[in-house]
Amino acid sequence: MKDVVINDAALRVAAGEGMDAFLQVFVCAIRDAIGGELTAETMAELNSDQLTLLAYDILHGEVMDGGFVQLIHNGYGAFIFQNPFAKAVKQWGLRDFARLVYDARALYNQHHEEIERDCTDEEFMALFELFPEFDDLDDKFVENEEAWTAAIAHYVDEHLDRFARIEINE
């Protein structure tokens, strides 16, 4: 496993800023440890919890910005839906979120080839009208995002050693 190190003082500052900042300390440290690029090779250097956190960060950013259609179009569908991400977040205690990911996976399996194809900006925008079945999933994610992010932050806080080594500088 890659040695991911986080400074205790930086972690305390981030925790004081809120759950998003707290999680970003871990996400940034994990990304830094793998040279900033998530590839098959660098994925093998991470444990399942670290990969799950990175997957959540990607899903969160994409879905909050443009929904599941954008996530799939931008090439993250296979990473999220063809790996045990949903199972992992379910094991973290996020059953409703896992159910949402399973529902999105079913739609991904049906439509990913068309959504992933190269297209113009105009054609991309038309994808949202072509696949309105993703709208309810997008809405459910946005409605629950704060609670799910808080639950993930709590999980990370309760299992720090699975994500990074906390270094105390005196």
Side-chain angles (χ1 to χ4, degrees):
M1 182 179 92
K2 205 58 151 159
D3 189 29
V4 177
V5 180
I6 295 175
N7 178 281
D8 180 62
L11 186 59
R12 288 179 191 279
V13 168
E17 293 173 5
M19 64 190 171
D20 292 318
F22 175 78
L23 288 177
Q24 278 308 303
V25 169
F26 287 90
V27 168
C28 291
I30 293 166
R31 286 183 193 268
D32 287 348
I34 58 171
E37 194 171 340
L38 192 60
T39 64
E41 184 177 293
T42 60
M43 283 174 61
E45 298 174 359
L46 301 175
N47 68 34
S48 61
D49 282 325
Q50 292 167 328
L51 282 170
T52 300
L53 182 59
L54 288 183
Y56 180 74
D57 184 64
I58 290 167
L59 183 144
H60 179 273
E62 293 291 324
V63 174
M64 291 300 286
D65 188 47
F68 282 99
V69 168
Q70 177 176 304
L71 176 134
I72 295 165
H73 181 74
N74 286 344
Y76 296 112
F79 178 58
I80 299 296
F81 302 121
Q82 294 179 353
N83 284 304
F85 174 70
K87 181 180 179 183
V89 295
K90 184 177 180 182
Q91 290 173 336
W92 286 7
L94 287 94
R95 292 187 180 283
D96 289 342
F97 178 51
R99 196 170 307 118
L100 176 80
V101 175
Y102 285 128
D103 291 345
R105 177 191 293 168
L107 294 175
Y108 166 81
N109 288 338
Q110 292 173 2
H111 305 296
H112 76 92
E113 290 175 0
E114 189 170 355
I115 296 172
E116 290 170 340
R117 69 178 172 75
D118 286 338
C119 60
T120 65
D121 288 345
E122 191 174 292
E123 291 169 328
F124 170 70
M125 294 309 292
L127 291 174
F128 294 96
E129 291 179 29
L130 283 173
F131 302 105
E133 55 266 53
F134 284 99
D135 292 349
D136 288 342
L137 300 179
D138 296 342
D139 291 346
K140 186 171 184 179
F141 182 81
V142 171
E143 290 165 11
N144 291 283
E145 176 272 335
E146 192 172 319
W148 290 337
T149 299
I152 289 171
H154 180 75
Y155 181 87
V156 171
D157 190 42
E158 293 292 311
H159 304 91
L160 292 173
D161 61 322
R162 296 183 188 175
F163 295 92
R165 181 169 49 86
I166 310 304
E167 194 171 73
I168 299 172
N169 297 339
E170 305 210 13

